[in-house]
Amino acid sequence: MRILVVEDEIRIRKGLTNLIEKHTEHTVVGQASNGAEGKEMALLYVPDLIITDIRMPVMDGLEMMKQLKELSDDWRFVILSGYSEFEYAKKALQYGADDYLVKPLAPEDVMKLFDTI
């Protein structure tokens, strides 16, 4: 699976990328620090899955999801957030997210995610 990671916190973005590349057979095709960059990379690389944070500068993950889904319904998303409030999860699911993970993530959470997707 080709994966795009969109996360403004560099430590989390790089850590998640390393975890995916070292412990799975999936490939991270790109990393973006906000939703605007994420949208550009998604259109360029056409990943199988986009893992995105919700709150980021420039464009948040929910807006990126919404804009990409307006272009095509084929995009698959997993929302990654430090916010466990139901409203964020509800919006993410309304926009078509496949899953919603709350930070901090344990490696087991990521492995379980790929098993279910």
Side-chain angles (χ1 to χ4, degrees):
M1 186 180 327
R2 296 164 35 87
I3 300 166
L4 172 63
V5 176
V6 185
E7 165 65 61
D8 62 323
E9 294 179 50
I10 191 165
R11 200 177 95 242
I12 294 172
R13 185 173 65 240
K14 292 202 178 290
L16 181 57
T17 297
N18 287 337
L19 180 68
I20 292 167
E21 291 180 339
K22 289 182 180 176
H23 298 286
T24 75
E25 294 185 14
H26 306 296
T27 303
V28 175
V29 295
Q31 298 178 47
S33 62
N34 62 62
E37 285 179 12
K39 180 181 174 186
E40 286 179 28
M41 288 185 159
L43 295 172
L44 180 64
Y45 297 122
V46 191
D48 301 306
L49 177 67
I50 300 169
I51 301 175
T52 183
D53 190 11
I54 288 182
R55 288 200 177 182
M56 296 178 285
V58 184
M59 180 190 293
D60 67 32
L62 292 177
E63 182 61 27
M64 178 190 67
M65 263 183 75
K66 181 180 171 190
Q67 289 184 18
L68 286 170
K69 284 286 192 175
E70 287 171 355
L71 298 173
S72 170
D73 206 30
D74 293 335
W75 300 103
R76 295 185 72 191
F77 294 93
V78 170
I79 297 294
L80 176 63
S81 180
Y83 302 93
S84 59
E85 292 94 350
F86 179 69
E87 282 306 308
Y88 287 110
K90 183 178 170 185
K91 271 191 178 177
L93 293 173
Q94 285 174 344
Y95 290 162
D98 293 288
D99 208 341
Y100 183 94
L101 299 175
V102 179
K103 295 186 267 187
L105 283 178
E108 305 83 54
D109 296 329
V110 176
M111 299 305 148
K112 185 178 175 185
L113 167 70
F114 290 121
D115 288 341
T116 60
I117 289 191

